[in-house]
Amino acid sequence: MTFSLLYLRLAGDFYFGTVAKAWILEQKGYSIVTISTDRTFTADTNLPWLVGNARLINLSGQLLGAHIAHAGLIMLWVGATTVSEVTRFIPDIPMYEQGMILLPHLATLGWGVGAGGEVIDTYPYFVVGILHLVASAVLGAGGLFHVFQSSPVLYNLGGRTAKFHYEWNDPKQLGLILGHHLIILGLGAFLLVLKAMFFGGIYDTHLGNVRLIDNPTINPVTIFGYLVGLKDGSWTPLGMASVDNLEDVIGGHIWIGFILIVGGVWHIVVQPFDWVRRLFPIQNGEEILSYSLLGLALMGFISVVFVGYNMTVFPIEFYGENRLAMANIQFFLDVLAFVGFVWHFWRSRQEVNTVNS
């Protein structure tokens, strides 16, 4: 019988310590692993009002529960808002004049609309809302299970579940998790492609009706030209937001879906190269969060241009011509995300310096 002592950094907001221990008992040819967490919810922080889920930063099981519950809250908001908008929708008044937030997106996807963008059936909107409410209940239950019933640390559970336990400074394991996320995002992109090409089509503001996209643009020169602002052989400051036809929109989603899935498989199989790790250090949860916020801010700033200037993706029938208020709200949220990136990246550097000293 032998004992091995493992030290895990399990603490709250930016706190490091050997507060969790794992005893590995080798007995009769197999290992029994037990990990105990002395402090599940730490209050050790100079900024208690900012703690949030940071207190779970090194508890992979409970952080997963919070992650799932957060997704459930998002689903709850979407479902409740959609159903609420359906109940107060007046067909004779444009959606944007009624202050609708989510129904315009569903109408753009071709649900319940006919010629000229007229809403002819609100039942699909109601179904979408209810599906989101059901999904929120499932996700909420999953979140509560992982927080209160399951192990605080995924490694404790053994089997396939333990495969998803991680340490913030383990690039191989983080690549595995990132890869699965990218694959799911890629499948989501292809769902839009399938809806546009085979399942009813999407709304084309230039035609004034819903249509199938039979011939999406696959030419990489056309699609990737948007990334550098090239449109029809000339440069435009609008970049991707200069797209003016649904063939290019859906073709872009085919490309991005393919890239996401291939990238997901790549990250599952291949660890980050050394030069990538030097460019984007991966040493703690703060760094991962800061990178996520930076990506969110980048996508948000691109979205601001789409909201403000693109009439193909955001048809005037549903969003109106004056989008300044929507764009301003989007811009404010993007700035908030970017400030969050700066804050958490600075905090991550503080942690690294503390550990190194």
Side-chain angles (χ1 to χ4, degrees), residues 118-153:
E118 179 185 1
V119 177
I120 57 178
D121 186 8
T122 60
Y123 183 68
Y125 307 153
F126 178 76
V127 171
V128 169
I130 294 300
L131 288 176
H132 279 78
L133 289 175
V134 173
S136 74
V138 175
L139 289 167
L144 292 173
F145 171 80
H146 280 285
V147 170
F148 295 108
Q149 293 297 321
S150 187
S151 171
V153 180

PDB file of all heavy atoms in Angstrom, residues 118-153:
ATOM      1  N   GLU A 118     -44.553  40.441 -44.450  1.00  0.00           N
ATOM      2  CA  GLU A 118     -45.771  40.413 -43.633  1.00  0.00           C
ATOM      3  C   GLU A 118     -45.799  39.145 -42.782  1.00  0.00           C
ATOM      4  O   GLU A 118     -45.581  38.038 -43.276  1.00  0.00           O
ATOM      5  CB  GLU A 118     -46.998  40.458 -44.528  1.00  0.00           C
ATOM      6  CG  GLU A 118     -48.312  40.411 -43.759  1.00  0.00           C
ATOM      7  CD  GLU A 118     -49.523  40.323 -44.669  1.00  0.00           C
ATOM      8  OE1 GLU A 118     -49.329  40.278 -45.903  1.00  0.00           O
ATOM      9  OE2 GLU A 118     -50.653  40.292 -44.140  1.00  0.00           O
ATOM     10  N   VAL A 119     -46.063  39.320 -41.512  1.00  0.00           N
ATOM     11  CA  VAL A 119     -46.173  38.173 -40.607  1.00  0.00           C
ATOM     12  C   VAL A 119     -47.531  37.520 -40.808  1.00  0.00           C
ATOM     13  O   VAL A 119     -48.574  38.130 -40.573  1.00  0.00           O
ATOM     14  CB  VAL A 119     -45.993  38.598 -39.140  1.00  0.00           C
ATOM     15  CG1 VAL A 119     -46.193  37.403 -38.212  1.00  0.00           C
ATOM     16  CG2 VAL A 119     -44.620  39.210 -38.927  1.00  0.00           C
ATOM     17  N   ILE A 120     -47.512  36.271 -41.263  1.00  0.00           N
ATOM     18  CA  ILE A 120     -48.756  35.562 -41.560  1.00  0.00           C
ATOM     19  C   ILE A 120     -49.068  34.475 -40.540  1.00  0.00           C
ATOM     20  O   ILE A 120     -50.170  33.924 -40.527  1.00  0.00           O
ATOM     21  CB  ILE A 120     -48.704  34.945 -42.973  1.00  0.00           C
ATOM     22  CG1 ILE A 120     -47.500  34.006 -43.100  1.00  0.00           C
ATOM     23  CG2 ILE A 120     -48.646  36.044 -44.028  1.00  0.00           C
ATOM     24  CD1 ILE A 120     -47.405  33.327 -44.458  1.00  0.00           C
ATOM     25  N   ASP A 121     -48.086  34.155 -39.677  1.00  0.00           N
ATOM     26  CA  ASP A 121     -48.320  33.093 -38.704  1.00  0.00           C
ATOM     27  C   ASP A 121     -47.362  33.277 -37.532  1.00  0.00           C
ATOM     28  O   ASP A 121     -46.130  33.196 -37.699  1.00  0.00           O
ATOM     29  CB  ASP A 121     -48.099  31.723 -39.347  1.00  0.00           C
ATOM     30  CG  ASP A 121     -48.471  30.573 -38.417  1.00  0.00           C
ATOM     31  OD1 ASP A 121     -49.039  30.838 -37.338  1.00  0.00           O
ATOM     32  OD2 ASP A 121     -48.181  29.410 -38.777  1.00  0.00           O
ATOM     33  N   THR A 122     -47.883  33.515 -36.342  1.00  0.00           N
ATOM     34  CA  THR A 122     -47.037  33.697 -35.158  1.00  0.00           C
ATOM     35  C   THR A 122     -46.820  32.395 -34.390  1.00  0.00           C
ATOM     36  O   THR A 122     -46.045  32.372 -33.430  1.00  0.00           O
ATOM     37  CB  THR A 122     -47.654  34.730 -34.197  1.00  0.00           C
ATOM     38  OG1 THR A 122     -48.953  34.273 -33.780  1.00  0.00           O
ATOM     39  CG2 THR A 122     -47.767  36.090 -34.874  1.00  0.00           C
ATOM     40  N   TYR A 123     -47.486  31.326 -34.823  1.00  0.00           N
ATOM     41  CA  TYR A 123     -47.348  30.056 -34.095  1.00  0.00           C
ATOM     42  C   TYR A 123     -45.903  29.555 -34.052  1.00  0.00           C
ATOM     43  O   TYR A 123     -45.450  29.072 -33.000  1.00  0.00           O
ATOM     44  CB  TYR A 123     -48.260  28.992 -34.701  1.00  0.00           C
ATOM     45  CG  TYR A 123     -48.215  27.673 -33.957  1.00  0.00           C
ATOM     46  CD1 TYR A 123     -48.734  27.568 -32.663  1.00  0.00           C
ATOM     47  CD2 TYR A 123     -47.647  26.533 -34.536  1.00  0.00           C
ATOM     48  CE1 TYR A 123     -48.689  26.364 -31.970  1.00  0.00           C
ATOM     49  CE2 TYR A 123     -47.593  25.330 -33.853  1.00  0.00           C
ATOM     50  CZ  TYR A 123     -48.113  25.252 -32.572  1.00  0.00           C
ATOM     51  OH  TYR A 123     -48.063  24.067 -31.886  1.00  0.00           O
ATOM     52  N   PRO A 124     -45.125  29.649 -35.165  1.00  0.00           N
ATOM     53  CA  PRO A 124     -43.716  29.216 -35.075  1.00  0.00           C
ATOM     54  C   PRO A 124     -42.932  29.972 -34.013  1.00  0.00           C
ATOM     55  O   PRO A 124     -42.055  29.405 -33.353  1.00  0.00           O
ATOM     56  CB  PRO A 124     -43.174  29.501 -36.480  1.00  0.00           C
ATOM     57  CG  PRO A 124     -44.369  29.478 -37.365  1.00  0.00           C
ATOM     58  CD  PRO A 124     -45.485  30.042 -36.531  1.00  0.00           C
ATOM     59  N   TYR A 125     -43.254  31.254 -33.818  1.00  0.00           N
ATOM     60  CA  TYR A 125     -42.561  32.031 -32.795  1.00  0.00           C
ATOM     61  C   TYR A 125     -42.886  31.499 -31.401  1.00  0.00           C
ATOM     62  O   TYR A 125     -42.012  31.410 -30.531  1.00  0.00           O
ATOM     63  CB  TYR A 125     -42.951  33.504 -32.883  1.00  0.00           C
ATOM     64  CG  TYR A 125     -42.777  34.125 -34.248  1.00  0.00           C
ATOM     65  CD1 TYR A 125     -43.561  35.200 -34.654  1.00  0.00           C
ATOM     66  CD2 TYR A 125     -41.831  33.632 -35.142  1.00  0.00           C
ATOM     67  CE1 TYR A 125     -43.398  35.778 -35.900  1.00  0.00           C
ATOM     68  CE2 TYR A 125     -41.670  34.198 -36.396  1.00  0.00           C
ATOM     69  CZ  TYR A 125     -42.462  35.264 -36.768  1.00  0.00           C
ATOM     70  OH  TYR A 125     -42.297  35.834 -38.003  1.00  0.00           O
ATOM     71  N   PHE A 126     -44.156  31.158 -31.204  1.00  0.00           N
ATOM     72  CA  PHE A 126     -44.582  30.604 -29.920  1.00  0.00           C
ATOM     73  C   PHE A 126     -43.876  29.282 -29.642  1.00  0.00           C
ATOM     74  O   PHE A 126     -43.409  29.032 -28.526  1.00  0.00           O
ATOM     75  CB  PHE A 126     -46.101  30.414 -29.912  1.00  0.00           C
ATOM     76  CG  PHE A 126     -46.638  29.805 -28.653  1.00  0.00           C
ATOM     77  CD1 PHE A 126     -46.751  30.553 -27.492  1.00  0.00           C
ATOM     78  CD2 PHE A 126     -47.033  28.473 -28.629  1.00  0.00           C
ATOM     79  CE1 PHE A 126     -47.241  29.989 -26.322  1.00  0.00           C
ATOM     80  CE2 PHE A 126     -47.519  27.901 -27.465  1.00  0.00           C
ATOM     81  CZ  PHE A 126     -47.623  28.659 -26.312  1.00  0.00           C
ATOM     82  N   VAL A 127     -43.787  28.433 -30.668  1.00  0.00           N
ATOM     83  CA  VAL A 127     -43.118  27.134 -30.507  1.00  0.00           C
ATOM     84  C   VAL A 127     -41.652  27.331 -30.140  1.00  0.00           C
ATOM     85  O   VAL A 127     -41.121  26.660 -29.241  1.00  0.00           O
ATOM     86  CB  VAL A 127     -43.242  26.307 -31.803  1.00  0.00           C
ATOM     87  CG1 VAL A 127     -42.373  25.049 -31.727  1.00  0.00           C
ATOM     88  CG2 VAL A 127     -44.697  25.924 -32.049  1.00  0.00           C
ATOM     89  N   VAL A 128     -40.983  28.252 -30.826  1.00  0.00           N
ATOM     90  CA  VAL A 128     -39.580  28.530 -30.528  1.00  0.00           C
ATOM     91  C   VAL A 128     -39.422  28.990 -29.080  1.00  0.00           C
ATOM     92  O   VAL A 128     -38.509  28.553 -28.362  1.00  0.00           O
ATOM     93  CB  VAL A 128     -39.017  29.588 -31.502  1.00  0.00           C
ATOM     94  CG1 VAL A 128     -37.647  30.082 -31.033  1.00  0.00           C
ATOM     95  CG2 VAL A 128     -38.913  29.016 -32.908  1.00  0.00           C
ATOM     96  N   GLY A 129     -40.314  29.864 -28.630  1.00  0.00           N
ATOM     97  CA  GLY A 129     -40.253  30.339 -27.254  1.00  0.00           C
ATOM     98  C   GLY A 129     -40.421  29.210 -26.245  1.00  0.00           C
ATOM     99  O   GLY A 129     -39.662  29.113 -25.272  1.00  0.00           O
ATOM    100  N   ILE A 130     -41.402  28.337 -26.486  1.00  0.00           N
ATOM    101  CA  ILE A 130     -41.650  27.221 -25.569  1.00  0.00           C
ATOM    102  C   ILE A 130     -40.476  26.257 -25.553  1.00  0.00           C
ATOM    103  O   ILE A 130     -40.069  25.755 -24.493  1.00  0.00           O
ATOM    104  CB  ILE A 130     -42.953  26.486 -25.953  1.00  0.00           C
ATOM    105  CG1 ILE A 130     -44.163  27.413 -25.738  1.00  0.00           C
ATOM    106  CG2 ILE A 130     -43.100  25.208 -25.139  1.00  0.00           C
ATOM    107  CD1 ILE A 130     -44.343  27.881 -24.312  1.00  0.00           C
ATOM    108  N   LEU A 131     -39.895  25.982 -26.727  1.00  0.00           N
ATOM    109  CA  LEU A 131     -38.731  25.092 -26.782  1.00  0.00           C
ATOM    110  C   LEU A 131     -37.575  25.653 -25.957  1.00  0.00           C
ATOM    111  O   LEU A 131     -36.859  24.900 -25.275  1.00  0.00           O
ATOM    112  CB  LEU A 131     -38.293  24.883 -28.236  1.00  0.00           C
ATOM    113  CG  LEU A 131     -39.211  24.013 -29.095  1.00  0.00           C
ATOM    114  CD1 LEU A 131     -38.711  23.973 -30.540  1.00  0.00           C
ATOM    115  CD2 LEU A 131     -39.288  22.589 -28.531  1.00  0.00           C
ATOM    116  N   HIS A 132     -37.391  26.958 -26.003  1.00  0.00           N
ATOM    117  CA  HIS A 132     -36.331  27.563 -25.202  1.00  0.00           C
ATOM    118  C   HIS A 132     -36.645  27.479 -23.710  1.00  0.00           C
ATOM    119  O   HIS A 132     -35.729  27.284 -22.892  1.00  0.00           O
ATOM    120  CB  HIS A 132     -36.118  29.023 -25.614  1.00  0.00           C
ATOM    121  CG  HIS A 132     -35.266  29.178 -26.830  1.00  0.00           C
ATOM    122  ND1 HIS A 132     -35.741  28.970 -28.109  1.00  0.00           N
ATOM    123  CD2 HIS A 132     -33.948  29.519 -26.967  1.00  0.00           C
ATOM    124  CE1 HIS A 132     -34.769  29.186 -28.985  1.00  0.00           C
ATOM    125  NE2 HIS A 132     -33.672  29.516 -28.319  1.00  0.00           N
ATOM    126  N   LEU A 133     -37.909  27.614 -23.346  1.00  0.00           N
ATOM    127  CA  LEU A 133     -38.273  27.489 -21.931  1.00  0.00           C
ATOM    128  C   LEU A 133     -38.040  26.064 -21.428  1.00  0.00           C
ATOM    129  O   LEU A 133     -37.543  25.868 -20.313  1.00  0.00           O
ATOM    130  CB  LEU A 133     -39.735  27.890 -21.740  1.00  0.00           C
ATOM    131  CG  LEU A 133     -40.055  29.382 -21.887  1.00  0.00           C
ATOM    132  CD1 LEU A 133     -41.554  29.624 -21.789  1.00  0.00           C
ATOM    133  CD2 LEU A 133     -39.316  30.200 -20.838  1.00  0.00           C
ATOM    134  N   VAL A 134     -38.386  25.078 -22.253  1.00  0.00           N
ATOM    135  CA  VAL A 134     -38.138  23.678 -21.875  1.00  0.00           C
ATOM    136  C   VAL A 134     -36.635  23.437 -21.751  1.00  0.00           C
ATOM    137  O   VAL A 134     -36.167  22.801 -20.793  1.00  0.00           O
ATOM    138  CB  VAL A 134     -38.760  22.725 -22.914  1.00  0.00           C
ATOM    139  CG1 VAL A 134     -38.352  21.285 -22.631  1.00  0.00           C
ATOM    140  CG2 VAL A 134     -40.281  22.854 -22.911  1.00  0.00           C
ATOM    141  N   ALA A 135     -35.874  23.946 -22.714  1.00  0.00           N
ATOM    142  CA  ALA A 135     -34.425  23.778 -22.665  1.00  0.00           C
ATOM    143  C   ALA A 135     -33.841  24.448 -21.420  1.00  0.00           C
ATOM    144  O   ALA A 135     -32.896  23.929 -20.808  1.00  0.00           O
ATOM    145  CB  ALA A 135     -33.785  24.362 -23.921  1.00  0.00           C
ATOM    146  N   SER A 136     -34.411  25.585 -21.032  1.00  0.00           N
ATOM    147  CA  SER A 136     -33.901  26.273 -19.841  1.00  0.00           C
ATOM    148  C   SER A 136     -34.121  25.432 -18.586  1.00  0.00           C
ATOM    149  O   SER A 136     -33.277  25.412 -17.690  1.00  0.00           O
ATOM    150  CB  SER A 136     -34.572  27.640 -19.689  1.00  0.00           C
ATOM    151  OG  SER A 136     -35.917  27.510 -19.245  1.00  0.00           O
ATOM    152  N   ALA A 137     -35.263  24.731 -18.539  1.00  0.00           N
ATOM    153  CA  ALA A 137     -35.536  23.870 -17.391  1.00  0.00           C
ATOM    154  C   ALA A 137     -34.545  22.710 -17.325  1.00  0.00           C
ATOM    155  O   ALA A 137     -34.036  22.363 -16.254  1.00  0.00           O
ATOM    156  CB  ALA A 137     -36.967  23.345 -17.458  1.00  0.00           C
ATOM    157  N   VAL A 138     -34.265  22.116 -18.478  1.00  0.00           N
ATOM    158  CA  VAL A 138     -33.318  21.005 -18.534  1.00  0.00           C
ATOM    159  C   VAL A 138     -31.917  21.474 -18.128  1.00  0.00           C
ATOM    160  O   VAL A 138     -31.237  20.840 -17.312  1.00  0.00           O
ATOM    161  CB  VAL A 138     -33.287  20.391 -19.946  1.00  0.00           C
ATOM    162  CG1 VAL A 138     -32.202  19.309 -20.045  1.00  0.00           C
ATOM    163  CG2 VAL A 138     -34.643  19.797 -20.300  1.00  0.00           C
ATOM    164  N   LEU A 139     -31.489  22.601 -18.690  1.00  0.00           N
ATOM    165  CA  LEU A 139     -30.169  23.124 -18.366  1.00  0.00           C
ATOM    166  C   LEU A 139     -30.086  23.553 -16.902  1.00  0.00           C
ATOM    167  O   LEU A 139     -29.064  23.335 -16.238  1.00  0.00           O
ATOM    168  CB  LEU A 139     -29.838  24.306 -19.273  1.00  0.00           C
ATOM    169  CG  LEU A 139     -29.558  23.953 -20.739  1.00  0.00           C
ATOM    170  CD1 LEU A 139     -29.554  25.208 -21.604  1.00  0.00           C
ATOM    171  CD2 LEU A 139     -28.235  23.224 -20.867  1.00  0.00           C
ATOM    172  N   GLY A 140     -31.159  24.161 -16.411  1.00  0.00           N
ATOM    173  CA  GLY A 140     -31.172  24.561 -15.008  1.00  0.00           C
ATOM    174  C   GLY A 140     -31.042  23.360 -14.085  1.00  0.00           C
ATOM    175  O   GLY A 140     -30.287  23.395 -13.101  1.00  0.00           O
ATOM    176  N   ALA A 141     -31.753  22.282 -14.412  1.00  0.00           N
ATOM    177  CA  ALA A 141     -31.654  21.061 -13.606  1.00  0.00           C
ATOM    178  C   ALA A 141     -30.242  20.488 -13.675  1.00  0.00           C
ATOM    179  O   ALA A 141     -29.692  20.033 -12.660  1.00  0.00           O
ATOM    180  CB  ALA A 141     -32.676  20.035 -14.098  1.00  0.00           C
ATOM    181  N   GLY A 142     -29.642  20.523 -14.874  1.00  0.00           N
ATOM    182  CA  GLY A 142     -28.274  20.040 -15.015  1.00  0.00           C
ATOM    183  C   GLY A 142     -27.292  20.864 -14.197  1.00  0.00           C
ATOM    184  O   GLY A 142     -26.380  20.328 -13.560  1.00  0.00           O
ATOM    185  N   GLY A 143     -27.494  22.180 -14.210  1.00  0.00           N
ATOM    186  CA  GLY A 143     -26.626  23.041 -13.424  1.00  0.00           C
ATOM    187  C   GLY A 143     -26.742  22.769 -11.938  1.00  0.00           C
ATOM    188  O   GLY A 143     -25.734  22.667 -11.223  1.00  0.00           O
ATOM    189  N   LEU A 144     -27.969  22.635 -11.456  1.00  0.00           N
ATOM    190  CA  LEU A 144     -28.177  22.350 -10.035  1.00  0.00           C
ATOM    191  C   LEU A 144     -27.594  20.990  -9.653  1.00  0.00           C
ATOM    192  O   LEU A 144     -27.031  20.832  -8.564  1.00  0.00           O
ATOM    193  CB  LEU A 144     -29.675  22.384  -9.711  1.00  0.00           C
ATOM    194  CG  LEU A 144     -30.340  23.767  -9.795  1.00  0.00           C
ATOM    195  CD1 LEU A 144     -31.851  23.633  -9.623  1.00  0.00           C
ATOM    196  CD2 LEU A 144     -29.761  24.707  -8.755  1.00  0.00           C
ATOM    197  N   PHE A 145     -27.711  20.019 -10.544  1.00  0.00           N
ATOM    198  CA  PHE A 145     -27.147  18.689 -10.267  1.00  0.00           C
ATOM    199  C   PHE A 145     -25.641  18.777 -10.081  1.00  0.00           C
ATOM    200  O   PHE A 145     -25.083  18.229  -9.126  1.00  0.00           O
ATOM    201  CB  PHE A 145     -27.482  17.729 -11.401  1.00  0.00           C
ATOM    202  CG  PHE A 145     -26.755  16.415 -11.300  1.00  0.00           C
ATOM    203  CD1 PHE A 145     -27.210  15.422 -10.437  1.00  0.00           C
ATOM    204  CD2 PHE A 145     -25.614  16.177 -12.052  1.00  0.00           C
ATOM    205  CE1 PHE A 145     -26.523  14.212 -10.332  1.00  0.00           C
ATOM    206  CE2 PHE A 145     -24.931  14.979 -11.958  1.00  0.00           C
ATOM    207  CZ  PHE A 145     -25.385  13.987 -11.088  1.00  0.00           C
ATOM    208  N   HIS A 146     -24.964  19.464 -10.998  1.00  0.00           N
ATOM    209  CA  HIS A 146     -23.507  19.538 -10.915  1.00  0.00           C
ATOM    210  C   HIS A 146     -23.037  20.352  -9.715  1.00  0.00           C
ATOM    211  O   HIS A 146     -21.950  20.104  -9.190  1.00  0.00           O
ATOM    212  CB  HIS A 146     -22.939  20.127 -12.211  1.00  0.00           C
ATOM    213  CG  HIS A 146     -22.843  19.139 -13.325  1.00  0.00           C
ATOM    214  ND1 HIS A 146     -21.872  18.163 -13.368  1.00  0.00           N
ATOM    215  CD2 HIS A 146     -23.606  18.961 -14.432  1.00  0.00           C
ATOM    216  CE1 HIS A 146     -22.032  17.429 -14.458  1.00  0.00           C
ATOM    217  NE2 HIS A 146     -23.082  17.891 -15.117  1.00  0.00           N
ATOM    218  N   VAL A 147     -23.836  21.318  -9.283  1.00  0.00           N
ATOM    219  CA  VAL A 147     -23.436  22.142  -8.148  1.00  0.00           C
ATOM    220  C   VAL A 147     -23.693  21.432  -6.820  1.00  0.00           C
ATOM    221  O   VAL A 147     -22.851  21.445  -5.922  1.00  0.00           O
ATOM    222  CB  VAL A 147     -24.166  23.497  -8.174  1.00  0.00           C
ATOM    223  CG1 VAL A 147     -23.938  24.259  -6.868  1.00  0.00           C
ATOM    224  CG2 VAL A 147     -23.677  24.337  -9.351  1.00  0.00           C
ATOM    225  N   PHE A 148     -24.861  20.777  -6.685  1.00  0.00           N
ATOM    226  CA  PHE A 148     -25.265  20.255  -5.384  1.00  0.00           C
ATOM    227  C   PHE A 148     -25.158  18.739  -5.227  1.00  0.00           C
ATOM    228  O   PHE A 148     -25.055  18.247  -4.106  1.00  0.00           O
ATOM    229  CB  PHE A 148     -26.703  20.687  -5.081  1.00  0.00           C
ATOM    230  CG  PHE A 148     -26.856  22.169  -4.931  1.00  0.00           C
ATOM    231  CD1 PHE A 148     -27.502  22.913  -5.902  1.00  0.00           C
ATOM    232  CD2 PHE A 148     -26.336  22.829  -3.830  1.00  0.00           C
ATOM    233  CE1 PHE A 148     -27.652  24.283  -5.766  1.00  0.00           C
ATOM    234  CE2 PHE A 148     -26.476  24.200  -3.690  1.00  0.00           C
ATOM    235  CZ  PHE A 148     -27.132  24.933  -4.663  1.00  0.00           C
ATOM    236  N   GLN A 149     -25.199  17.986  -6.311  1.00  0.00           N
ATOM    237  CA  GLN A 149     -25.217  16.535  -6.203  1.00  0.00           C
ATOM    238  C   GLN A 149     -23.943  15.871  -6.714  1.00  0.00           C
ATOM    239  O   GLN A 149     -23.501  14.869  -6.175  1.00  0.00           O
ATOM    240  CB  GLN A 149     -26.426  15.962  -6.968  1.00  0.00           C
ATOM    241  CG  GLN A 149     -27.767  16.315  -6.368  1.00  0.00           C
ATOM    242  CD  GLN A 149     -27.951  15.742  -4.976  1.00  0.00           C
ATOM    243  OE1 GLN A 149     -27.547  14.619  -4.692  1.00  0.00           O
ATOM    244  NE2 GLN A 149     -28.567  16.523  -4.090  1.00  0.00           N
ATOM    245  N   SER A 150     -23.377  16.422  -7.732  1.00  0.00           N
ATOM    246  CA  SER A 150     -22.188  15.808  -8.318  1.00  0.00           C
ATOM    247  C   SER A 150     -20.935  16.240  -7.558  1.00  0.00           C
ATOM    248  O   SER A 150     -20.992  17.095  -6.662  1.00  0.00           O
ATOM    249  CB  SER A 150     -22.072  16.191  -9.789  1.00  0.00           C
ATOM    250  OG  SER A 150     -21.016  15.488 -10.407  1.00  0.00           O
ATOM    251  N   SER A 151     -19.810  15.675  -7.919  1.00  0.00           N
ATOM    252  CA  SER A 151     -18.554  16.012  -7.260  1.00  0.00           C
ATOM    253  C   SER A 151     -18.096  17.414  -7.644  1.00  0.00           C
ATOM    254  O   SER A 151     -18.246  17.817  -8.805  1.00  0.00           O
ATOM    255  CB  SER A 151     -17.469  15.003  -7.658  1.00  0.00           C
ATOM    256  OG  SER A 151     -16.208  15.408  -7.198  1.00  0.00           O
ATOM    257  N   PRO A 152     -17.533  18.175  -6.709  1.00  0.00           N
ATOM    258  CA  PRO A 152     -17.017  19.509  -7.046  1.00  0.00           C
ATOM    259  C   PRO A 152     -15.903  19.463  -8.085  1.00  0.00           C
ATOM    260  O   PRO A 152     -15.664  20.421  -8.801  1.00  0.00           O
ATOM    261  CB  PRO A 152     -16.498  20.045  -5.711  1.00  0.00           C
ATOM    262  CG  PRO A 152     -17.228  19.277  -4.674  1.00  0.00           C
ATOM    263  CD  PRO A 152     -17.435  17.911  -5.259  1.00  0.00           C
ATOM    264  N   VAL A 153     -15.214  18.312  -8.154  1.00  0.00           N
ATOM    265  CA  VAL A 153     -14.104  18.143  -9.090  1.00  0.00           C
ATOM    266  C   VAL A 153     -14.417  16.960  -9.988  1.00  0.00           C
ATOM    267  O   VAL A 153     -14.662  15.849  -9.517  1.00  0.00           O
ATOM    268  CB  VAL A 153     -12.776  17.907  -8.338  1.00  0.00           C
ATOM    269  CG1 VAL A 153     -11.627  17.730  -9.325  1.00  0.00           C
ATOM    270  CG2 VAL A 153     -12.489  19.065  -7.393  1.00  0.00           C
TER     271      VAL A 153
END
